Each structure stands twice: as structure tokens, then as C-alpha cells.
Amino acid sequence: MVLLACTSNHGLSFWTDAHRDAAGALRRVCDATAQDVARNRFLQLSSEPTQGVFFVLEGWLAIAKSTTFGQRQIVDFVLPGEVFDSGSGTRQRSSTDLIALTPSRVAIISQARWQGLLRDHWDLQEMLNRRMAASYSRIAGRLLRVGRGCADARLAYAICELCLRATDRGVVDGHAFHLPLTQEILGDFVGLSSVHVSRTLTRLRREKIVRTSKHMDFVIKNADRLAAVAEVDLDDLRTEIIPRA
Amino acid sequence: MVLLACTSNHGLSFWTDAHRDAAGALRRVCDATAQDVARNRFLQLSSEPTQGVFFVLEGWLAIAKSTTFGQRQIVDFVLPGEVFDSGSGTRQRSSTDLIALTPSRVAIISQARWQGLLRDHWDLQEMLNRRMAASYSRIAGRLLRVGRGCADARLAYAICELCLRATDRGVVDGHAFHLPLTQEILGDFVGLSSVHVSRTLTRLRREKIVRTSKHMDFVIKNADRLAAVAEVDLDDLRTEIIPRA
DNA sequence: CGGATATTTGAGATGGTTCAAGACGAGTGG
DNA sequence: CCACTCGTCTTGAACCATCTCAAATATCCG
């Protein structure tokens, strides 16, 4: 479950103003355990014992679930400043993989320590609650498109979602951003084959809704039509899936 | 987001032993505001202001999201003893519908009061965290099947999930249980048309994996094959999606 | 420049949808 | 007790979206 905030691109900076003491405690814990992770490394394998709580300082990670025969679904991405808690229920085994999509920097916090932090800092727990609600909204929204939407809607929705998460600026015309993903990973995110992601992206490009260059550099050309294809209200989407500070 | 427990079929009974004071506070709040709800009534409409937190005392409810043109996806069910919090982020507007699938009894708790309860009772918050993790696991598992599984896998998985949630007993041969759903609702749950739910259910019946009678009375005939079709390990599934007490 | 990794494009197979008609079952009123 | 009705489920047939396989580019990295 993805828990904490990402407004700036640097993990802890978010916390410094509103939540000084929680931030301090968190920072101490993170400094002690932070480590660098190479691209494509698995930080957590499903069916292996949970290692605790992962706090992302830099990089993009993916939470993925797989069927017994290798079909993969990406459940959510974890961005800098956010937390992934694979065993919230104090479970023994993780049920998900956690994969570094870019070179990353991650702190691993033990369950016990994390519980202690939450208990001692109510504002941390409170923020956690908001983050969890946002993360739940994200997955619920995606479930709707994956279950009921056509390929265009799924992809357009994913682009809106990721545009909002990747940067502070909303989904507005001319906004450019980069996603550190391949089309295959995007497909695993929205339940499409990479081939069909390619075709659908081509269609969105041809209709001048987005522009892309050099592997996943996006520019929003027509936010209104993008929102229409995604069947979503952009303002609503933002308040739903991006936790407020 | 679905939050609390359901082991017995009566809302508050779960709380009495381990969490006496939290249970007492909760009970007082619920007694004051509980109300009966008719089948098929909407307790919460998306795009309407959030009413607060819903605590279910009796009945099955469904959390649903819809596209602008009426395509519906059921995100999760809410069972007795569980809580639905439509605006966890203290948001103004709900983004989901909440529908009573059976005649139900529900208490509505204001956001402020709920926040207060959580702050005053750490064990309540702690249990909430576990419930949220379980509810997240449920939706993530379903997202995997909906995104990547064929109709058989989606339905078989849903049957496992709902069997586990509907009763204390696991998914075992001979276990009988009732689901207060139509095939159409089941379809909205797993992203299939009601027609295809019917066909797929027929296949599962023909292969002697489940037996059904009079509208959604299920009997598990072959739990192993059901699990195989659902591509799931039944023990793992239980610890993932059913919060431990 | 060369090799690996990603993307594009085509063509055929497939699984699920939609529409439409019929069967079944539970509840209702005569 | 029967006949009607409404909601639900079943079944068939045609259609369409997406997948898979396969080959042809394009892009990145050393």
C-alpha cells in the first residue's frame, strides 16, 4: 500500500513544514537505513518474508502482482516521499513484488519501528490515513477502467493519473512530463498487451491529444479531449488521487 | 474504503473482547444514529457531498464507481461490522456510490466524530490499519484477475473471495453459502457482462467445481480445482484479504 | 558503429459483448 | 389453487476489441 506524500521530487522535503517532529523522527530512521537500488531490481518478492516498510527517497518503484503463470499486473507506482508497506496486517509473507523502475534510493524500516512512529506521532498517522485513501482511490479508479473501459479510456486515464502524480502541475495543455516506463509496463498497469498500448498511443497521437517523443516524454496537447476519452473530470480526479498536504 | 471487521454476522459483536473501550464508544455512537435501509437504496451518491462514515450493522452493501455513461464497477462489498469511509481525505464530494444490496441497518458517523474516535482509541486506529490493508489486498487481487485473467479465473477468484468473506469457514469442499447478489452485480464486480457470468458459471457447474441453486446459493464441490482456476493459494488468500482479529 | 532493448505494424485467432428470444421461479391477486 | 407478471437466468448467433505471433523499424548505450 502506498502511503505518504509526493509533492516535491525529494522524499523528505515535503514533511519539513507542517509536521516537524514526525519529519525529524522519520528522517533519523531513514538516514540510518537508506540504500541505493539499481534499476530493475526486486526489493521485495512476493512469497518471501516481508522486510518491513519501504520509504522511497528517490526513484520510481512499481508494486506488482502476478498470476502463477507470469501474467503481471501493476497495482500502483511508488514515488519519492511515499511509503510501501507490504505487510500492513503484520503478515508474514508479502503478496506483491516491489520493483525499482529507475535507480532509486530507499530506506527500509522494520514493522515494529514503523508502528512505534505511528503511535508516537498522530500527525504522521493522520497523514497516512489520507495517503491510504488516495492510494485506494487510485486503484479503484483504475479498476473501473480496466473492468469496463475500452483501451483508449484505460490509457487516457492512466496518462491523466500519472501526469498528476509525476508533477505538481495539473493536466493542462502544453504540460510536458516524463514517465520512466516502457509501453510494456504501462500495459501491465492498465491490463493491455504492449502491442495494444502502442496502437492506442498512436491513435491518441494521431488525434492530437498527446504528443510523445524519445520513449515516454509526454506533452498534453488537448487536456479536454484527453479527459473526455478517459471519462473523467480532471479536477475531481486530482482531489481524489492526490492526497492534500 | 472498507475498514473494519466481520467475523460474526452481527456488526458490533466482534469488538467486545479485545477492544472493550473502543467498542463501547463505537456502540454509543452507533446506537444514536443507526437507521434501517431498504434493499436497492443508495446511501451515498457519487458527486453528492460526503455524509461521513458508514458503519454497517446488518446487511450487504456495495461500493460502486460508474463511468459517465452508466458502466458500473463494484469496487468492494461492505459487510456487517465493517466501515465505509467515502471521504477519508476529508474531501467534499464522494467519488463512489454506496448501495444496499439487502435490507440493511447502518449507522452514519460524522467525520469529526470518527476522527475523534480514532485519536482517542489507538487500538481502533490500529485495527483500522489492518482492515485497510485487507481491503487494499482485495481490490489489488481483483485488479489482477480483471486486468489479466480470463472469465473463469475472474469468477472463480470472486467466488473464493466472497466465500471467505461471507462466512468464517474457509473455501472447503462441501461448504455452502449464500451470496445476496444477482449475476449482473457479480458481473459488475469482476468486469464481465451478466450474460457471460451466466455462461461461465454454467461451465464451473458442469465441471463439478461448484454447485448452485435458487439464485446464488453456492456449494463448493472441489476447492482445489476452484483454486486452480482462480490461480490462487487459498491459505494465502485468506491471510491477505481477511483481516486478522 | 553494433548490439540490445523498445516500438511499430500486419494478419489471423480468440474471448467476450450485444442483441434477442425463451425458460424459469417467486410473489401477487383473483 | 391457478394464472399473471416481473425479475432473473439461460442459450444462440453475429460482431468486435484485444491478443498473439511474427517481422520490420527505431532508439538507446557503450
Side-chain angles (χ1 to χ4, degrees), chain A residues 2 39-40 50 78 87 109 138 147 156 162 197 216 241:
Chain A
V2 183
R39 189 171 105 94
N40 288 334
T50 50
V78 196
I109 307 172
R138 285 198 296 270
L162 294 174
V197 169
M216 300 284 127
I241 69 170

Side-chain angles (χ1 to χ4, degrees), chain A residues 1 68 72 88 91 93 95 119 122 125 129 132-133 135-136 144 148 187-188 192 231 236 239-240, chain B residues 1 68 72 88 91 93 95 119 122 125 129 132-133 135-136 148 187-188 192 231 236 239-240:
Chain A
M1 186 166 320
T68 41
R72 184 169 69 166
S88 314
R91 290 196 314 274
R93 297 172 41 183
S95 57
R119 185 189 293 257
W122 172 252
Q125 173 69 61
N129 288 344
M132 284 192 286
S135 123
Y136 193 83
L144 170 62
R148 294 306 193 184
D188 287 341
L192 292 174
E231 304 194 68
D236 288 355
T239 60
E240 278 171 37
Chain B
M1 186 166 321
T68 40
R72 183 169 70 166
S88 316
R91 288 196 314 273
R93 297 172 42 185
S95 58
R119 186 190 290 258
W122 172 251
Q125 173 71 62
N129 288 345
M132 284 192 285
S135 123
Y136 193 83
R148 294 308 192 182
D188 287 340
L192 292 174
E231 303 194 69
D236 288 355
T239 60
E240 279 171 37

Side-chain angles (χ1 to χ4, degrees), chain B residues 22-99:
Chain B
L26 200 51
R27 183 185 301 270
R28 275 191 301 279
V29 175
C30 287
D31 284 350
T33 59
Q35 53 185 270
D36 289 308
V37 186
R39 189 171 106 94
N40 288 335
R41 241 204 65 198
F42 281 67
L43 279 117
Q44 171 85 64
L45 269 169
S46 55
S47 82
E48 278 192 5
T50 48
Q51 298 186 39
V53 171
F54 297 83
F55 187 99
V56 178
L57 297 160
E58 283 170 50
W60 280 50
L61 312 191
I63 307 170
K65 277 179 95 76
S66 303
T67 61
T68 40
F69 198 58
Q71 294 272 69
R72 183 169 70 166
Q73 174 74 44
I74 289 178
V75 168
D76 204 355
F77 296 108
V78 196
L79 272 53
E82 299 181 335
V83 166
F84 168 69
D85 183 351
S86 61
S88 316
T90 333
R91 288 196 314 273
Q92 308 301 348
R93 297 172 42 185
S94 168
S95 58
T96 51
D97 298 329
L98 183 64
I99 307 149

